[in-house]
Amino acid sequence: MVSAGEIRGRDLRHRFSSGARALDGIDVELGPGDLLCVVGPNGSGKSTLLRVLAGLLVPDEGEVVLDGRAVRSLSSAERASRMAVVPQSLAGLPDVRVRDFVMGGRYAHLGFFGRHAPEDAEAVDRALADTDLDEMADRLLAELSGGQRQRALLARALAQGSGLWLVDEPTTSLDVEHQVRAFELIAEICKTGRSALVVTHDLNLASQFATEIALFDRGRVAARGTPGEVLRREVLEPVYGPHLSYGTLETPGGPRPFVVPFPDGAARARLDGGPGGASTGPGGGG
Amino acid sequence: MTTRRVPVRIAVPGLVITLVLLLLAGIYTGTSGGLTTGSPLRGLLASMGLAEPLPEPDQTILRLRLHRTLVAAGVGGALALSGAFLQGLFRNPLASPSLIGVSAGSGLGSAVAVLIVGGYGPDFVSGLGSAGAHAPVLVTAFAFAGALAAAFVVLRIAARGGRVSVPSLLLAGIALNTCLAGALAALQAWTLRDYEMHRAILTWTFGTLEDRHAYHATMVWCGLALSALTIPFVAVELDLFAGGEEDAEALGVHTRRVKLLAICAAALSAGCAVAVAGQIAFVGLVVPHLLRILTGTSHRTLLPLAILGGGVFLLSADVAQRLFFGGTAMQPGVLMSLVGGPFFIYLLWRERRVMEAW
């Protein structure tokens, strides 16, 4: 069963033991159907926020409420059945077959001594199919490429059947095709009434898929809004610097801003083929 | 990229049957040699009250040998189980009770207890008498406490952010082993003038299966059984630890509880083994390692198989050394170091490419 997928963090503050401020008064809220992309430079507090929301790190101040209950008051199993965490990579590489690895996502649902019911196996099969891993189900995880392993992590979260996804840089080692498919998968999940918070460096994928973007800078939310509101020169330049060019892509779903790393704001874009077109300008899509 | 071995995954039921047959063969061979009258099988059944006893002294000889074989099998199983718990917990195939100082902690605990009960005298051996009555329990309790303390110290030193790196684990083990060996040596030096006491402590250092009694077997098997009771509560969880502690926590594993249970179970089984037979190295390293190559990394099969495999391993070693070396009985601790040391060097040699990346 899929739970509600509502999470709220209020005035989250955290310092590392070195004294560096990681989170400096962050408010965050996600409801069913939301896909919030958290973007920002390295060290701006994105991954720390994800760990705090996941209940893996206790913030110095502030509280996280998941589906109406304080996340720290939930047991590990309760948390896992409501919220799936997709890490960027694993601290170790389990020496298991892909199917068994994905079954790990069902842990909170398993019976005594890891006994699993038919619906657990079905959930795993579905997750493997949805991530194009069904043909690799019996291979060892170590035999997969970096991108395939990334998809195995997504498959495991899918099998978990949680209402909320917290995803840390899901496209790091994926090719362009699978980057889009990873985001499509997350967007599909959100369309079924679940919600996702995705930490990413890819501003254009965020533009394409996010219902909302939060721009982080030095532990604070520098800007928050729709892609059109955030991916603008006057918002991004104070955070990322001047080396970006901005444009707008006309898509069937409406105009979408895009940002490319090119150190000349006067660069002009011309898109080849396709039904839409692109325009660039100093202001970008606003 | 590191070269990966192709795992030899063999059927678990076949391995279980083979190990059980080997264990039974080991018990039979270990108890039957040199009997002058009657069949050893009758003697074994008699010791369970299922047949007429053999004429004396054969029944007594058989009973003493049975104690020795049961202790050997129990100690081997307990050490291997302890190693399998520690390797799963530390996510590291090089962890074992002896390498990371758990056995040494246990040995020091035992030595302190021997010192408290006043030596390894007849009262202690028989388990009778006012001072001796509680001695085996006291030695086991101290061995357990020593093992537990050592495991926690290593975990505390080597773990950082839920991750235990191989070098920090091994270095913590070296440091702890050095400290504990120093403390044990100081204790031995202190008791040098008391021959009985010195001999008793030295016996633990070498490890022995001589003069084992029914209560030794009972103690090690009880410790092993208690430790094994935790398997259903940590096996799947330890599998999920492979991706890191934080990942396991996010999947719903109560990581603190699992760590505590696994450490206590590892310390209990290693502690009981050391309390009855002294420090025996490498069983806890070699057996889980071989089983992992044979059957894969699932702790649901690895942990129970470690008990069986460890039992067969130490019992076979003991029986073999008695058959081949005859009268010049070698202490099992010495034998295991002679066998296990080269095996550890072989492991390091085989993994040297992987280690370059550490």
Side-chain angles (χ1 to χ4, degrees):
Chain A
M1 200 185 88
V2 173
S3 57
E6 285 182 7
I7 196 163
R8 203 176 64 241
R10 280 275 171 271
D11 197 26
L12 300 172
R13 292 170 192 275
H14 191 73
R15 274 180 190 274
F16 291 128
S17 50
S18 62
R21 194 177 281 281
L23 299 177
D24 191 8
I26 300 284
D27 290 320
V28 65
E29 192 164 349
L30 248 86
D34 289 348
L35 199 170
L36 172 66
C37 280
V38 177
V39 300
N42 294 326
S44 58
K46 308 183 296 293
S47 295
T48 306
L49 172 73
L50 191 137
R51 292 181 65 218
V52 165
L53 292 178
L56 301 171
L57 179 69
V58 184
D60 297 336
E61 289 175 50
E63 193 184 32
V64 177
V65 175
L66 174 64
D67 296 336
R69 289 177 61 187
V71 77
R72 296 299 301 171
S73 73
L74 297 170
S75 71
S76 309
E78 280 175 324
R79 233 171 34 226
S81 60
R82 291 162 189 269
M83 170 164 67
V85 180
V86 185
Q88 190 182 343
S89 61
L90 294 174
L93 189 61
D95 186 19
V96 292
R97 296 187 193 287
V98 176
R99 181 185 300 282
D100 295 329
F101 177 73
V102 174
M103 184 60 88
R106 299 295 298 170
Y107 173 75
H109 307 267
L110 297 182
F112 185 64
F113 209 29
R115 194 168 41 81
H116 55 80
E119 60 259 33
D120 295 314
E122 283 166 23
V124 169
D125 286 340
R126 255 197 324 275
L128 287 167
D130 289 349
T131 49
D132 295 337
L133 285 172
D134 35 4
E135 285 180 8
M136 298 173 194
D138 291 318
R139 284 170 62 178
L140 288 173
L141 197 63
E143 293 171 0
L144 302 192
S145 69
Q148 289 164 337
R149 273 181 222 158
Q150 196 86 39
R151 281 190 277 146
L153 284 168
L154 288 169
R156 193 179 64 167
L158 209 52
Q160 208 167 325
S162 315
L164 170 69
W165 279 40
L166 300 176
V167 190
D168 197 3
E169 299 189 24
T171 55
T172 308
S173 47
L174 297 185
D175 58 64
V176 179
E177 166 72 5
H178 279 104
Q179 285 180 18
V180 176
R181 289 175 70 171
F183 263 91
E184 274 176 351
L185 180 74
I186 297 166
E188 281 299 317
I189 286 160
C190 293
K191 281 180 191 153
T192 62
R194 288 177 273 189
S195 54
L197 181 147
V198 183
V199 168
T200 181
H201 281 298
D202 197 315
L203 300 173
N204 295 322
L205 285 169
S207 168
Q208 196 179 339
F209 291 100
T211 55
E212 202 177 15
I213 293 178
L215 173 67
F216 270 46
D217 186 28
R218 284 165 287 179
R220 289 173 163 274
V221 179
R224 182 169 179 164
T226 62
E229 288 165 346
V230 175
L231 302 183
R232 294 184 299 142
R233 179 182 299 279
E234 53 270 39
V235 176
L236 295 186
E237 198 163 290
V239 176
Y240 284 108
H243 305 297
L244 295 173
S245 291
Y246 299 80
T248 305
L249 205 58
E250 296 301 333
T251 73
R256 291 279 176 179
F258 68 86
V259 181
V260 289
F262 201 88
D264 181 2
R268 306 288 302 176
R270 190 184 70 232
L271 291 191
D272 296 330
S279 64
T280 58
Chain B
M1 187 171 165
T2 56
T3 50
R4 280 195 57 78
R5 302 179 297 280
V6 177
V8 192
R9 303 288 156 87
I10 64 168
V12 173
L15 187 62
V16 171
I17 292 168
T18 310
L19 288 174
V20 168
L21 289 176
L22 283 171
L23 192 67
L24 292 175
I27 292 173
Y28 185 82
T29 319
T31 51
S32 62
L35 295 183
T36 51
T37 55
S39 89
L41 195 60
R42 187 181 131 203
L44 285 172
L45 289 172
S47 59
M48 291 184 274
L50 297 173
E52 280 290 305
L54 297 175
E56 291 299 345
D58 280 0
Q59 186 64 40
T60 304
I61 292 172
L62 187 134
R63 197 183 67 241
L64 291 175
R65 285 194 184 148
L66 184 63
H67 294 157
R68 181 182 178 129
T69 54
L70 288 177
V71 167
V75 165
L79 289 173
L81 179 63
S82 179
F85 275 128
L86 293 174
Q87 289 175 12
L89 187 65
F90 288 113
R91 299 188 285 117
N92 192 321
L94 294 182
S96 80
S98 51
L99 275 179
I100 66 166
V102 168
S103 290
S106 189
L108 184 64
S110 300
V112 170
V114 170
L115 200 67
I116 291 171
V117 298
Y120 182 53
D123 281 352
F124 179 76
V125 173
S126 66
L128 301 171
S130 58
H134 304 296
V137 178
L138 192 75
V139 174
T140 309
F142 270 62
F144 171 55
L148 199 60
F152 272 113
V153 167
V154 165
L155 192 67
R156 185 83 191 139
I157 299 172
R160 194 169 168 77
R163 187 171 178 270
V164 180
S165 73
V166 181
S168 59
L169 178 72
L170 296 181
L171 289 174
I174 290 170
L176 195 63
N177 270 321
T178 308
C179 295
L180 292 167
L184 193 61
L187 207 66
Q188 285 172 340
W190 191 46
T191 56
L192 210 51
R193 290 185 183 183
D194 184 342
Y195 173 73
E196 277 302 319
M197 182 79 79
H198 188 67
R199 183 176 165 274
I201 292 173
L202 209 59
T203 307
W204 256 286
T205 318
F206 280 142
T208 184
L209 293 171
E210 303 287 336
D211 300 330
R212 298 299 87 177
H213 288 250
Y215 71 79
H216 287 122
T218 310
M219 226 154 44
V220 71
W221 280 99
C222 281
L224 178 55
L226 269 178
S227 180
L229 280 180
T230 62
I231 291 175
F233 303 98
V234 300
V236 182
E237 290 74 5
L238 287 178
D239 290 347
L240 297 179
F241 265 57
E245 205 176 307
E246 200 164 86
D247 187 55
E249 180 77 33
L251 289 172
V253 176
H254 194 313
T255 51
R256 269 201 302 186
R257 187 175 65 200
V258 171
K259 274 197 293 187
L260 194 66
L261 268 177
I263 282 195
C264 287
L268 180 65
S269 51
C272 286
V274 174
V276 302
Q279 291 188 46
I280 296 176
F282 291 112
V283 181
L285 170 76
V286 174
V287 175
H289 203 89
L290 290 176
L291 288 172
R292 198 175 289 107
I293 293 170
L294 290 175
T295 66
T297 53
S298 167
H299 287 86
R300 276 175 291 179
T301 48
L302 187 65
L303 293 170
L305 274 175
I307 301 175
L308 214 47
V312 168
F313 187 72
L314 190 59
L315 181 57
S316 309
D318 187 45
V319 169
Q321 68 101 1
R322 276 158 58 200
L323 287 179
F324 299 124
F325 293 99
T328 55
M330 206 183 280
Q331 304 289 7
V334 178
L335 184 71
M336 282 297 116
S337 296
L338 290 177
V339 175
F343 183 79
F344 188 54
I345 292 169
Y346 161 71
L347 278 187
L348 293 177
W349 172 258
R350 206 177 61 159
E351 301 282 333
R352 65 193 186 284
R353 282 196 193 167
V354 180
M355 285 189 295
E356 281 169 12
W358 287 356

